[in-house]
PDB file of all heavy atoms in Angstrom:
ATOM      1  N   ASP A 268     -36.752  -7.985  26.574  1.00  0.00           N
ATOM      2  CA  ASP A 268     -38.133  -7.646  26.933  1.00  0.00           C
ATOM      3  C   ASP A 268     -39.054  -8.844  26.724  1.00  0.00           C
ATOM      4  O   ASP A 268     -39.917  -9.128  27.556  1.00  0.00           O
ATOM      5  CB  ASP A 268     -38.647  -6.480  26.083  1.00  0.00           C
ATOM      6  CG  ASP A 268     -37.903  -5.188  26.332  1.00  0.00           C
ATOM      7  OD1 ASP A 268     -37.398  -4.986  27.457  1.00  0.00           O
ATOM      8  OD2 ASP A 268     -37.839  -4.367  25.395  1.00  0.00           O
ATOM      9  N   ALA A 269     -38.878  -9.549  25.600  1.00  0.00           N
ATOM     10  CA  ALA A 269     -39.711 -10.714  25.316  1.00  0.00           C
ATOM     11  C   ALA A 269     -39.527 -11.783  26.391  1.00  0.00           C
ATOM     12  O   ALA A 269     -40.500 -12.371  26.874  1.00  0.00           O
ATOM     13  CB  ALA A 269     -39.391 -11.279  23.933  1.00  0.00           C
ATOM     14  N   LEU A 270     -38.288 -12.023  26.793  1.00  0.00           N
ATOM     15  CA  LEU A 270     -38.030 -13.006  27.848  1.00  0.00           C
ATOM     16  C   LEU A 270     -38.638 -12.568  29.176  1.00  0.00           C
ATOM     17  O   LEU A 270     -39.170 -13.387  29.929  1.00  0.00           O
ATOM     18  CB  LEU A 270     -36.528 -13.258  27.985  1.00  0.00           C
ATOM     19  CG  LEU A 270     -35.884 -13.959  26.792  1.00  0.00           C
ATOM     20  CD1 LEU A 270     -34.364 -13.972  26.936  1.00  0.00           C
ATOM     21  CD2 LEU A 270     -36.433 -15.360  26.633  1.00  0.00           C
ATOM     22  N   ALA A 271     -38.589 -11.277  29.466  1.00  0.00           N
ATOM     23  CA  ALA A 271     -39.192 -10.757  30.698  1.00  0.00           C
ATOM     24  C   ALA A 271     -40.711 -10.925  30.676  1.00  0.00           C
ATOM     25  O   ALA A 271     -41.319 -11.314  31.677  1.00  0.00           O
ATOM     26  CB  ALA A 271     -38.818  -9.292  30.896  1.00  0.00           C
ATOM     27  N   VAL A 272     -41.331 -10.639  29.531  1.00  0.00           N
ATOM     28  CA  VAL A 272     -42.780 -10.805  29.403  1.00  0.00           C
ATOM     29  C   VAL A 272     -43.152 -12.275  29.573  1.00  0.00           C
ATOM     30  O   VAL A 272     -44.111 -12.608  30.290  1.00  0.00           O
ATOM     31  CB  VAL A 272     -43.274 -10.257  28.042  1.00  0.00           C
ATOM     32  CG1 VAL A 272     -44.708 -10.684  27.760  1.00  0.00           C
ATOM     33  CG2 VAL A 272     -43.158  -8.747  27.996  1.00  0.00           C
ATOM     34  N   LEU A 273     -42.415 -13.169  28.932  1.00  0.00           N
ATOM     35  CA  LEU A 273     -42.702 -14.599  29.066  1.00  0.00           C
ATOM     36  C   LEU A 273     -42.525 -15.074  30.499  1.00  0.00           C
ATOM     37  O   LEU A 273     -43.345 -15.836  31.020  1.00  0.00           O
ATOM     38  CB  LEU A 273     -41.808 -15.408  28.120  1.00  0.00           C
ATOM     39  CG  LEU A 273     -42.118 -15.237  26.636  1.00  0.00           C
ATOM     40  CD1 LEU A 273     -41.002 -15.857  25.796  1.00  0.00           C
ATOM     41  CD2 LEU A 273     -43.457 -15.846  26.290  1.00  0.00           C
ATOM     42  N   THR A 274     -41.472 -14.632  31.159  1.00  0.00           N
ATOM     43  CA  THR A 274     -41.231 -15.012  32.556  1.00  0.00           C
ATOM     44  C   THR A 274     -42.345 -14.507  33.456  1.00  0.00           C
ATOM     45  O   THR A 274     -42.849 -15.242  34.310  1.00  0.00           O
ATOM     46  CB  THR A 274     -39.860 -14.493  33.030  1.00  0.00           C
ATOM     47  OG1 THR A 274     -38.848 -15.038  32.184  1.00  0.00           O
ATOM     48  CG2 THR A 274     -39.590 -14.874  34.470  1.00  0.00           C
ATOM     49  N   ALA A 275     -42.763 -13.264  33.259  1.00  0.00           N
ATOM     50  CA  ALA A 275     -43.864 -12.710  34.050  1.00  0.00           C
ATOM     51  C   ALA A 275     -45.145 -13.491  33.791  1.00  0.00           C
ATOM     52  O   ALA A 275     -45.927 -13.752  34.716  1.00  0.00           O
ATOM     53  CB  ALA A 275     -44.060 -11.229  33.724  1.00  0.00           C
ATOM     54  N   GLY A 276     -45.360 -13.895  32.541  1.00  0.00           N
ATOM     55  CA  GLY A 276     -46.542 -14.691  32.207  1.00  0.00           C
ATOM     56  C   GLY A 276     -46.520 -16.046  32.882  1.00  0.00           C
ATOM     57  O   GLY A 276     -47.548 -16.517  33.382  1.00  0.00           O
ATOM     58  N   ILE A 277     -45.363 -16.681  32.904  1.00  0.00           N
ATOM     59  CA  ILE A 277     -45.222 -17.975  33.582  1.00  0.00           C
ATOM     60  C   ILE A 277     -45.537 -17.820  35.069  1.00  0.00           C
ATOM     61  O   ILE A 277     -46.285 -18.614  35.649  1.00  0.00           O
ATOM     62  CB  ILE A 277     -43.808 -18.549  33.389  1.00  0.00           C
ATOM     63  CG1 ILE A 277     -43.609 -18.982  31.938  1.00  0.00           C
ATOM     64  CG2 ILE A 277     -43.531 -19.713  34.344  1.00  0.00           C
ATOM     65  CD1 ILE A 277     -42.167 -19.266  31.570  1.00  0.00           C
ATOM     66  N   GLN A 278     -44.970 -16.799  35.693  1.00  0.00           N
ATOM     67  CA  GLN A 278     -45.209 -16.581  37.122  1.00  0.00           C
ATOM     68  C   GLN A 278     -46.680 -16.286  37.400  1.00  0.00           C
ATOM     69  O   GLN A 278     -47.251 -16.799  38.367  1.00  0.00           O
ATOM     70  CB  GLN A 278     -44.329 -15.442  37.637  1.00  0.00           C
ATOM     71  CG  GLN A 278     -42.864 -15.808  37.644  1.00  0.00           C
ATOM     72  CD  GLN A 278     -41.970 -14.628  37.971  1.00  0.00           C
ATOM     73  OE1 GLN A 278     -42.386 -13.469  37.937  1.00  0.00           O
ATOM     74  NE2 GLN A 278     -40.706 -14.921  38.266  1.00  0.00           N
ATOM     75  N   ASN A 279     -47.310 -15.484  36.546  1.00  0.00           N
ATOM     76  CA  ASN A 279     -48.723 -15.158  36.719  1.00  0.00           C
ATOM     77  C   ASN A 279     -49.595 -16.403  36.557  1.00  0.00           C
ATOM     78  O   ASN A 279     -50.509 -16.641  37.354  1.00  0.00           O
ATOM     79  CB  ASN A 279     -49.140 -14.090  35.712  1.00  0.00           C
ATOM     80  CG  ASN A 279     -50.541 -13.617  35.940  1.00  0.00           C
ATOM     81  OD1 ASN A 279     -50.846 -13.034  36.963  1.00  0.00           O
ATOM     82  ND2 ASN A 279     -51.410 -13.871  34.987  1.00  0.00           N
TER      83      ASN A 279
END
Side-chain angles (χ1 to χ4, degrees):
D268 295 331
L270 293 171
V272 168
L273 291 169
T274 301
I277 290 167
Q278 292 172 345
N279 186 64

